[in-house]
Amino acid sequence: MPDGREATPGGARGRAEPDGLPARPVSRGAFRAMAAIGLAFVVLAAAVAMALPEHIGKQAAQAAVTAAALASAICCLVTARRVPRHERRWRRFEAAAITSSFVAGVAVSMVASGETVPDLAATGAAPLLGYVLGLAGLLTFPTERARAIPISTNKRGGMAWYLEAVLDGLLVVGSLLLLVYAILVIPLVRSTQINQASLAFGVAGGAGKLVLLSAVIFILIFRRPTGSGSLSLLSVSLLLFAVTDGAALNAYAKATDGPDAVVLVGFAGGSVLTALAAAAPHDGMIIRTRRSPRGVWARVAVPYLPLGCVGALLAAQIITHADIPVAQIIGMLALMLLALARQLVTTIDNTLLLARYEDSRARLHHQAFHDPLTGLANRTLFFRRLRAAINRHERTSHPVALLFCDLDDFKVVNDNLGHAAGDRVLRTAAHRLAQAAGPTDTVARLGGDEFAVLLDTGAADRAGGRTEELRAAGDRIRAALRIAVAIEDRRHLVRASLGLVIVGTETGPVCPDEVLQHADHAMYAAKRLGKGNLVVYSPEIDDSRQAGMAG
């Protein structure tokens, strides 16, 4: 697609799932109508609550919250019957969570107003059950893995990823809880006007919603949810519930008559958003977005945003000379240690990744310039060094010496023993060439059974006799290339014919191809003399070659 998005197979619009149900709960037109009706309901409820007297307005807001919660639970149950199996569980869990939270909300209202609750233990378990059910709904939300966990098959890389995920989770949850503690819990505890049961209900509700919101954040970071916006609507719903809880708690701390009616309407808005999340059409597709630097930075920055808020709050408290509780200072220090541990894990992981990258880069570089069978330099690297030697020769008149080798009777080995035996012969020849050549010589396999050695002429210069020393080096290499091979219970000797070319000051300008051609002509002259010979190139070789071709 042009925008970089793609859908999983089976996500075509209107296609039915294997159980015969469409991959969308309602049509897009019906969803737009539901969104418009829900928005109008929330706005109307807020307007009515503000227009009526305070006591009646609160009753109207409570009625709107009840109606919205009931409609949201029904919407989740109805849409669960209209979607494929893997889309049903989270809707049913959300319906059960809404029902449980509604019971808890009624209990909180009764306690705040001073009414007697029939069974406080039973109603106190309702919030906990609601958050457990809500978390179960989030965990069963259809997703797929956002990325392969280990960067390589190294187990340490996968463990680092899991450790980073755990530390990120602790940072996010710990920062949010510390914010709730500093902004809401401390003022509420210091207040003398709030009912302690209401305080317990309210704090538990805020903490539970923050845990659910943290779960949504982790799903968005580490997973790919179904591309419908359902999870986004759920996250906005949880955020609205958390903000409304905070506003209600502040109202209970400041006055005995509880929050304003408009604040209560926020609970109705959260229920409407949950209903829209259950009804959002998605066509059964999973949307994948291409990774971008912006997305990577967002992924890295998300765990530190709540920590930054905690730091900003602490700075504001220090500037205003506010009383900072000891528990908040301890919590901030614990979060700083977590952040330090997170950075340490990231540094170690990046160091290992960089080491693997450098190792992979070195292997690729070696593979690009070396023969995979023998490990010698390949034609590309050989010609690069030969060209550098010729350039140095043109600048300083330093001689260039090239030895061209071709194995004799190598075809007999391949034809009688097969290519596996031929490969063993080539590897043996390469090994002996590398041992016989000098440490500064370049040994290369040019292809097939052809090898070349770019000799270092510095030793010959220092010895005072270029040709004699270089020919001695060629004879040493020729002797090393006497390879015994068993063919049909008989030992067969594989030798090599060599051609040596020396580019001196009297030769004049040359190019790499010309030097290699002269060495090749000398090698064929050695073959004409018999197996296992060495011939030094001279212009007469070309003259005799041309005469032989003409004859």
Side-chain angles (χ1 to χ4, degrees), residues 41 63-75 95 98-99 102 267-268 271-272:
F41 174 79
V65 171
T66 302
L70 180 61
S72 180
I74 293 175
C75 182
I98 291 171
T99 303
F102 175 73
F267 291 109
S271 298
V272 170

Side-chain angles (χ1 to χ4, degrees), residues 24 93 103 166 181 227 270 282 295 328 339 358 384 390 409 440 443 446 462 470 488 497 504 530 532 534:
R24 57 171 63 177
F93 277 125
V103 173
V166 171
Y181 174 79
H282 53 80
Q328 181 182 348
E358 293 294 340
R384 176 179 293 184
I390 292 175
D409 298 329
T440 56
V443 184
L446 302 183
R462 289 190 295 271
L470 293 173
E488 296 180 353
S497 297
L534 169 65

Side-chain angles (χ1 to χ4, degrees), residues 409-482:
D409 298 329
F410 181 73
K411 187 175 184 299
V412 177
V413 176
N414 268 339
D415 292 344
N416 289 274
L417 295 182
H419 292 285
D423 290 344
R424 287 197 299 271
V425 171
L426 291 175
R427 285 193 290 266
T428 303
H431 178 69
R432 294 186 179 184
L433 267 175
Q435 285 187 326
T440 56
D441 297 339
T442 298
V443 184
R445 181 189 177 202
L446 302 183
D449 60 337
E450 295 179 345
F451 298 87
V453 182
L454 181 61
L455 299 171
D456 181 11
T457 55
D461 273 344
R462 289 190 295 271
R466 294 176 181 173
T467 304
E468 291 75 9
E469 286 294 325
L470 293 173
R471 185 180 179 92
D475 287 334
R476 185 175 65 251
I477 292 174
R478 178 173 60 87
L481 290 178
R482 295 172 62 88

Side-chain angles (χ1 to χ4, degrees), residues 37-124:
I37 294 173
L39 177 62
F41 174 79
V42 173
V43 172
L44 180 62
V48 170
M50 294 175 62
L52 295 176
E54 182 178 357
H55 180 68
I56 301 177
K58 286 186 177 182
Q59 291 181 347
Q62 290 285 3
V65 171
T66 302
L70 180 61
S72 180
I74 293 175
C75 182
C76 289
L77 292 175
V78 171
T79 54
R81 302 182 61 182
R82 296 172 53 84
V83 294
R85 293 186 182 89
H86 67 280
E87 291 277 353
R88 296 173 185 171
R89 287 178 295 177
W90 76 267
R91 288 177 168 83
R92 291 171 177 170
F93 277 125
E94 288 300 326
I98 291 171
T99 303
S100 180
S101 299
F102 175 73
V103 173
V106 172
V108 171
S109 300
M110 294 176 66
V111 171
S113 60
E115 298 181 19
T116 302
V117 180
D119 188 353
L120 186 59
T123 55

Side-chain angles (χ1 to χ4, degrees), residues 4 8 37 49 118 153 158 160 164 172 198 251 257 263 278-279 301 310 315 378 408 434 475 529:
T8 57
I37 294 173
T153 56
E164 289 175 3
V172 172
S198 299
D257 54 353
V263 173
V310 173
N378 60 12
D408 299 322
D475 287 334
L529 294 176

Side-chain angles (χ1 to χ4, degrees), residues 189-214:
V189 170
R190 292 172 178 174
S191 174
T192 59
Q193 302 183 25
I194 186 171
N195 184 286
Q196 295 300 315
S198 299
L199 173 63
F201 276 116
V203 171
K209 291 179 177 65
L210 286 179
V211 170
L212 295 180
L213 190 60
S214 301

Side-chain angles (χ1 to χ4, degrees), residues 297-376:
W297 279 110
R299 152 74 178 86
V300 173
V302 163
Y304 296 98
L305 290 178
L307 181 62
C309 295
V310 173
L313 175 63
L314 182 62
Q317 290 174 328
I318 294 175
I319 293 174
T320 58
H321 304 285
D323 185 16
I324 304 176
V326 177
Q328 181 182 348
I329 298 176
I330 295 175
M332 186 64 189
L333 291 176
L335 290 176
M336 295 302 296
L337 290 176
L338 281 176
L340 182 61
R342 174 67 173 84
Q343 287 302 310
L344 180 61
V345 172
T346 301
T347 302
I348 295 174
D349 193 33
N350 289 340
T351 302
L352 294 175
L353 177 61
L354 181 61
R356 289 195 295 269
Y357 169 75
E358 293 294 340
D359 183 61
S360 176
R361 183 178 179 182
R363 286 198 304 269
L364 290 175
H365 184 272
H366 185 273
Q367 292 171 3
F369 295 104
H370 290 80
D371 175 59
L373 178 64
T374 62
L376 299 178

